[in-house]
Amino acid sequence: MERPRFQGHHLRAAAGQRPYRITRVQPGRSLLFERVKDYWGKDLPVNRGFNNFNKVAVEFYRDSDVAFEAFKAGEFDIYIEHQAKNWANGYNFPAVNRGDIIKAQVAHQIPTQTQGLFMNSRRAIFAERKVREALGLMFDFEWTNRTLFSGAYKRATSYYPNSEFSATGLPVGHEWLLLSPYREQLPASLFTQPFSLPQTDGRGIPRATLRRALGLLAEAGWKLNGQRLLDSNGQPLRFELLLVNPNLERILQPYVENLASIGIDARLRTVDRAQYKQRLDQFDFDMILMTLNQTLSPGLEQWQYFHSSQVGVKGSKNYAGIDNPIVDHLLEHLLAAQSRDEQLAAGRALDRVLLWQHYIIPNWYLNYHRLAYRNRFAFVTTPPYQLGLSAWWLKSLEKAQ
C-alpha cells in the first residue's frame, strides 16, 4: 500500500505501481484511495475479481466508542469489532434490525498470536515447573469467558493457536524422533497423553483442581500455613502481575482472588507505558500478560522468543526467561528445516515442550472475524488467511452487469 511521506511541511503521496493511489490526506483524520485506471496489472489472472471500488476512504478515530457511534450513524460502511461485550450487546439498533447492516462472523485460518500470562522464570518463585503448573490450574478460563466475554473466545492450548503448528494428540513420526532422545529430561506424560488444560463449568474452580494445585506446590516446597503458603524459611508465596492496560484489571482480578483462596498473595499493578517498557526491557517483573506475533511459517522470531541466548539480552522478547537446551535444540531444527514436513514436525515438537514446561498460562483467541457492514456489499467467500475486503463489490454494480 502506498504510504504518505513528509516533504517539508506537507504530506505528499509516494509514487507507486499499485492498483490504488492516495489522492487526499487529512493528517490524523482520513485517507482517500482512488483506483488507477491504467494500472498495469489489472488484467493479470491473479487480480481478477479484486480491486472493484473506484474510491476507498479510510477514517481514523482515536476512541472506539466514538467510532462505533459514527458507524451506527452511517459515517462509514464497514466496522471490525474487537470487543466481545459490544459484539454481544451493542448491535440491537434499528439499522441491524431492519437488515440494513449485516452482522457476520467470518471464519478464517489465520494463525493467531501467542497470548498468555508469562511467568518470569528468572525469579526464584517461578523457577520450578510444578509451581508454574499450579498457578496455571488456578486460572478459570470458562468463568472468565462466560462472565466477561459472553462466551466469545476459545481457550488457547498452544503457542500457535489456529495454526497447523499446534501440537495435538501424541507425538508421532518425525516429531517423535525429535523428542525421543530427551525422554529422561522431559515429563513422562508428554509421550503418553495429549497436553490439556483444566476445565471448569464456569462457576468456580473444582475442589479436585484446588487439591492438585496445592499438591504440586507442596512438592515444590510450599506448605499451607493458616491462610498463607510458606516456604521452608517461612517466606510467603507472593508476586506481582504487572499491567499497562487498566482495562485488564477487571479480567485478572478474579484470577488474583482464586490464588488468594489457596494462600498465594498475588497483586495487580498497572503502570504507564514508559515505565512498563523500561521494566520489560530490564526483565523487572514477576508476571505479565503478553502477546507474541505468529505467522503461517514460524521462523527466526521464535529464536528471539524462546532461545536461551536471549535470556540475558536486555530488551529481548524471551519474557519468560526460557533457558532450556531441549528448546534450543528444537529451535535449531526449526530454522534448519529443508521441507514443510520437517518444519511442521520441529514446530509441533517445540510447541509441545513449551506447553509441558508451563512457562505461560495460555489465554484465549478467536478463529473468526467479527464484522458489521452495510447491506450494499457482496462477496463470494473470504480467503482463509485474510479478510479479503479488496475482493468485495457493490451490489448495485452486480445488478448493472
Side-chain angles (χ1 to χ4, degrees):
M1 182 179 292
E2 298 165 335
R3 296 180 179 178
R5 64 185 182 188
F6 284 101
Q7 184 184 48
H9 296 290
H10 303 282
L11 285 167
R12 182 172 70 85
Q17 299 182 8
R18 302 285 184 166
Y20 287 89
R21 64 166 61 96
I22 298 173
T23 58
R24 188 178 72 226
V25 178
Q26 293 180 289
R29 295 186 61 186
S30 67
L31 292 174
L32 180 64
F33 296 84
E34 292 194 21
R35 186 160 58 173
V36 177
K37 293 182 180 179
D38 58 349
Y39 170 51
W40 67 272
K42 66 179 181 179
D43 295 324
L44 293 176
V46 71
N47 288 327
R48 290 178 184 172
F50 290 89
N51 310 313
N52 301 309
F53 304 113
N54 288 327
K55 295 182 180 181
V56 177
V58 180
E59 304 285 341
F60 296 93
Y61 293 85
R62 291 185 174 88
D63 184 278
S64 60
D65 293 332
V66 173
F68 185 61
E69 292 302 319
F71 172 69
K72 290 166 62 176
E75 294 295 318
F76 55 93
D77 297 312
I78 301 171
Y79 187 78
I80 301 173
E81 181 61 69
H82 297 290
Q83 298 183 34
K85 182 178 180 180
N86 198 51
W87 185 248
N89 304 315
Y91 286 80
N92 186 24
F93 55 91
V96 174
N97 297 333
R98 290 194 307 266
D100 295 339
I101 289 178
I102 305 298
K103 182 184 175 189
Q105 295 185 175
V106 183
H108 65 71
Q109 299 174 34
I110 304 171
T112 60
Q113 60 195 4
T114 304
Q115 178 176 315
L117 295 170
F118 284 60
M119 291 167 273
N120 186 359
S121 61
R122 301 172 185 84
R123 300 284 171 93
I125 57 172
F126 299 126
E128 171 61 55
R129 182 179 67 88
K130 292 179 180 179
V131 172
R132 300 194 297 265
E133 181 179 357
L135 295 178
L137 294 175
M138 300 306 296
F139 182 73
D140 191 346
F141 165 75
E142 286 73 24
W143 183 93
T144 302
N145 195 35
R146 178 181 67 85
T147 306
L148 303 179
F149 301 145
S150 302
Y153 292 102
K154 297 182 67 174
R155 180 77 188 270
T157 55
S158 169
Y159 280 69
Y160 310 104
N162 207 39
S163 164
E164 60 182 340
F165 285 86
S166 297
T168 58
L170 297 177
V172 295
H174 191 185
E175 182 191 351
W176 186 89
L177 291 175
L178 289 173
L179 294 171
S180 60
Y182 302 100
R183 275 185 172 273
E184 297 300 320
Q185 292 90 355
L186 292 170
S189 300
L190 181 148
F191 293 93
T192 60
Q193 65 186 57
F195 180 82
S196 63
L197 293 167
Q199 295 184 354
T200 75
D201 61 4
R203 290 171 172 77
I205 297 178
R207 289 183 179 274
T209 303
L210 296 176
R211 286 194 295 269
R212 183 180 168 197
L214 286 170
L216 287 167
L217 290 164
E219 291 174 19
W222 296 93
K223 306 294 185 181
L224 192 60
N225 187 336
Q227 300 297 314
R228 298 192 302 170
L229 275 173
L230 305 177
D231 65 12
S232 58
N233 297 318
Q235 297 300 310
L237 180 48
R238 176 185 295 133
F239 66 88
E240 177 183 270
L241 209 171
L242 184 67
L243 302 173
V244 68
N245 182 354
N247 294 328
L248 293 173
E249 293 176 4
R250 72 181 184 93
I251 297 173
L252 294 174
Q253 183 59 38
Y255 176 55
V256 168
E257 294 171 3
N258 288 343
L259 293 172
S261 71
I262 60 170
I264 298 174
D265 181 12
R267 302 181 184 184
L268 301 178
R269 184 178 182 189
T270 303
V271 298
D272 62 52
R273 292 188 179 277
Q275 184 179 355
Y276 186 74
K277 179 64 166 63
Q278 183 180 34
R279 291 187 62 174
L280 284 191
D281 289 347
Q282 299 296 323
F283 309 118
D284 182 19
F285 60 85
D286 298 327
M287 181 185 287
I288 53 173
L289 193 153
M290 181 52 65
T291 60
L292 302 174
N293 291 330
Q294 299 294 356
T295 67
L296 287 167
S297 186
L300 187 59
E301 74 284 348
Q302 307 302 309
W303 186 284
Q304 298 171 327
Y305 297 160
F306 308 126
H307 197 271
S308 62
S309 64
Q310 303 299 300
V311 170
V313 177
K314 301 302 182 184
S316 85
K317 294 185 177 181
N318 188 346
Y319 299 112
I322 299 170
D323 185 358
N324 187 314
I326 302 174
V327 170
D328 290 352
H329 171 76
L330 295 173
L331 284 167
E332 291 169 3
H333 276 275
L334 178 68
L335 298 183
Q338 298 297 306
S339 68
R340 185 65 170 178
D341 287 343
E342 289 182 11
Q343 186 186 34
L344 286 171
R348 290 168 181 169
L350 174 64
D351 187 35
R352 196 179 302 274
V353 170
L354 292 171
L355 288 169
W356 279 94
Q357 291 299 323
H358 299 279
Y359 293 115
I360 74 170
I361 302 170
N363 283 175
W364 48 83
Y365 71 99
L366 280 179
N367 58 356
Y368 57 87
H369 304 286
R370 291 185 291 221
L371 193 66
Y373 59 92
R374 308 223 166 258
N375 191 14
R376 64 192 190 101
F377 295 99
F379 61 96
V380 176
T381 186
T382 298
Y385 302 122
Q386 62 177 341
L387 185 53
L389 295 177
S390 62
W392 291 26
W393 66 92
L394 294 176
K395 289 181 178 179
S396 57
L397 293 180
E398 180 186 34
K399 292 178 181 178
Q401 294 172 354

